[in-house]
Amino acid sequence: MFFIDTLEIAGLGNRSYLAGGERTAVVIDPPRDIEQVIAAAARRGVRISHVVETHLHNDYVTGGLELARVTGAAYLVPAAARVSYERVSVHDGDRWEIEATAGLALRALATPGHTPHHTSYVLEAGGTAVAVFTGGSLLIGTVGRPDLVEPRLTEGLARAQYASAHRLAAELPDETAVLPTHGFGSFCSSSQAEGESTTIGKEKAANEALTRDVDTFVADLLAGLDDVPAYYAHMGPANADGPAPVDLTPPAVADAEEIADRLAAGEWVVDLRNRVAFAENHLAGSFNVEAEGQLATYLAWLIPWGKPVTLLAESPEQLAAAQRELVRVGIDRPAAAATGEPADWVGDGEALASFPRATFADLAARSRDGVVVLDVRRASERAAGFIEGSVHIPVHALHSRIGEVPAGQVWVHCAGGMRAAIAASLLDAAGREVVAVDDSFASAETAGLTVGAP
């Protein structure tokens, strides 16, 4: 008998896995906050014997090195990955016994494409492949993107990704479960997964890497690549150097005076409350990135790397959860923090700020009044349709391009409201009159707005 537990890292759109028998288990692509992995192993009553990386990750800081150190497990990393710490170098075809009595073993299968050294791992039970941990190779209905290493390598890696998908399909039984790390919201995926589970057989029938010729597949893959989060540039080096253990103790508490001083110094003060509460009242100059959304992805993408950040949260629990998410992308220690509500964070005699929220129907009623419509979606989203006359600056570029936003009242929108709220907070902090459109873009045309296409 064997088990496979999936550990969802929802904020980053990734998954890690714990797989094993009655006594021992292997961990694949663990997150940096390893406590949840250790807790999962404890619930199963198993010892972690092996910790495995499919590749040096570009979208998060791994917990693999620390998990191996804490548990005494062997740390398996592809041999061609250049790292500065001791590990077990993995080569194509290497095999490790996980639990002899259960007939469980792990076999390495080279699958370059997402990175040059990418390796998948086949879980065998009684000599039969039952699952394959594909990391950023074969995903659910797609593949990992090939453009995160070096621009000159991108086309070659795209072709390698095609070949790797075909190798997996050719060498593994149709019923083999495909268990990727990426594809559930991560920007490491070339597109997002459709569905929660898959097999080699299902991918043979539906995955374009397995249903199209190589030239068509590569051309479409390269044409569809989206923006790369800026913080990705820091993840690979951190993982190659060996991440330090995390410190999740509460940060220093800041009072209203210290928060004001940090704002005046140009530091980032980030309000984690939901966008409705932030719009109603907030500390002037603060930015809003909801704790309930993709906090780690968007804060790490927007903030100048290394700039001190102070977190404002509704509760100690919200603050602790935010800290846990942020260490996964290398934002290790907030400079300071405060909990409570805006009235607790503002100095005596200082007024709180606010801005209105609206729908696309509200915007349609005002569209003839000369308001500025700002679209902060990614270029790939805008390519499918946009409000005629709107200005386009993706949210991740807005902080450095606010000067390009035309004068006047700015109605800012995205696809659903979360990124519009981030953008509205940036504009509001810059002194602009802003309205946050908190609505689904699908309703823009039915509201009476003219939606065009390139």
Side-chain angles (χ1 to χ4, degrees):
M1 295 294 292
F2 68 92
F3 72 87
I4 301 175
D5 290 342
T6 300
L7 306 177
E8 297 279 357
I9 316 299
L12 294 177
N14 285 328
R15 289 177 175 176
S16 296
Y17 301 93
L18 175 75
E22 292 184 354
R23 291 184 293 277
T24 55
V26 57
V27 177
I28 297 90
D29 290 343
R32 193 176 183 199
D33 50 321
I34 61 175
E35 293 90 345
Q36 63 176 306
V37 183
I38 293 172
R43 287 192 295 271
R44 286 286 186 177
V46 295
R47 176 180 64 86
I48 296 173
S49 60
H50 297 77
V51 176
V52 174
E53 303 284 6
T54 56
H55 61 293
L56 288 187
H57 304 283
N58 289 294
D59 62 330
Y60 69 93
V61 180
T62 182
L65 182 64
E66 179 66 4
L67 181 61
R69 186 190 68 81
V70 168
T71 62
Y75 189 31
L76 279 53
V77 179
R82 298 180 179 177
V83 299
S84 58
Y85 45 81
E86 292 187 7
R87 43 70 189 266
V88 176
S89 295
V90 175
H91 301 84
D92 185 43
D94 285 350
R95 195 170 182 274
W96 302 269
E97 187 176 87
I98 303 302
E99 186 167 291
T101 56
L104 283 182
L106 199 68
R107 176 167 57 89
L109 199 158
T111 49
H114 187 49
T115 67
H117 60 263
H118 191 283
T119 301
S120 297
Y121 296 85
V122 180
L123 183 67
E124 299 175 342
T128 299
V130 293
V132 57
F133 302 101
T134 55
S137 184
L138 186 66
L139 311 185
I140 301 178
T142 185
V143 296
R145 60 194 298 172
D147 62 327
L148 301 179
V149 178
E150 181 7 271
R152 292 172 295 180
L153 301 178
T154 297
E155 182 174 350
L157 287 175
R159 292 183 179 276
Q161 194 70 299
Y162 182 89
S164 291
H166 280 260
R167 182 184 185 191
L168 289 164
E171 296 188 15
L172 298 175
D174 283 357
E175 59 271 21
T176 307
V178 175
L179 302 174
T181 299
H182 303 314
F184 311 95
S186 168
F187 284 90
C188 270
S189 175
S190 59
S191 63
Q192 295 312 309
E194 295 183 4
E196 290 296 311
S197 63
T198 192
T199 63
I200 289 291
K202 290 179 181 178
E203 293 308 303
K204 283 182 179 180
N207 195 306
E208 291 187 350
L210 298 172
T211 61
R212 312 183 79 176
D213 67 89
V214 62
D215 291 332
T216 302
F217 167 77
V218 169
D220 288 349
L221 176 62
L222 298 183
L225 292 173
D226 215 330
D227 299 327
V228 178
Y231 74 91
Y232 277 24
H234 305 281
M235 300 297 97
N239 289 324
D241 290 343
V246 300
D247 178 4
L248 292 174
T249 58
V253 177
D255 59 16
E257 182 179 359
E258 181 181 345
I259 295 171
D261 288 343
R262 291 187 177 278
L263 281 169
E267 296 182 12
W268 278 42
V269 175
V270 176
D271 191 325
L272 302 171
R273 296 174 302 142
N274 71 69
R275 58 185 182 263
V276 176
F278 183 88
E280 288 178 354
N281 56 55
H282 56 267
L283 198 61
S286 63
F287 303 142
N288 178 222
V289 186
E290 292 180 312
E292 296 84 359
Q294 291 178 283
L295 169 66
T297 294
Y298 281 100
L299 181 53
W301 197 342
L302 269 66
I303 193 169
W305 197 252
K307 182 174 281 291
V309 58
T310 295
L311 300 178
L312 306 179
E314 288 180 323
S315 66
E317 293 76 18
Q318 186 181 64
L319 175 61
Q323 278 187 262
R324 182 174 294 277
E325 280 204 47
L326 292 176
V327 298
R328 295 172 182 161
V329 293
I331 301 178
D332 282 12
R333 294 294 297 168
T339 58
E341 56 187 34
D344 302 321
W345 309 327
V346 67
D348 293 338
E350 294 183 16
L352 293 170
S354 65
F355 53 76
R357 296 165 52 251
T359 64
F360 281 109
D362 298 324
L363 175 56
R366 292 288 311 277
S367 60
R368 298 182 183 276
D369 296 345
V371 299
V372 178
V373 180
L374 177 62
D375 181 349
V376 296
R377 296 174 301 159
R378 297 185 301 279
S380 60
E381 297 171 281
R382 186 172 171 86
F386 58 89
I387 297 172
E388 289 194 355
S390 60
V391 177
H392 179 230
I393 303 176
V395 66
H396 58 265
L398 182 60
H399 186 252
S400 61
R401 297 176 58 189
I402 281 182
E404 299 177 26
V405 180
Q409 187 183 65
V410 183
W411 288 59
V412 58
H413 80 86
C414 60
M418 190 232 355
R419 288 172 292 171
I422 297 173
S425 73
L426 297 175
L427 290 159
D428 179 73
R432 297 299 302 270
E433 183 184 1
V434 64
V435 178
V437 178
D438 195 353
D439 198 358
S440 169
F441 186 74
S443 66
E445 193 165 16
T446 57
L449 293 162
T450 303
V451 176

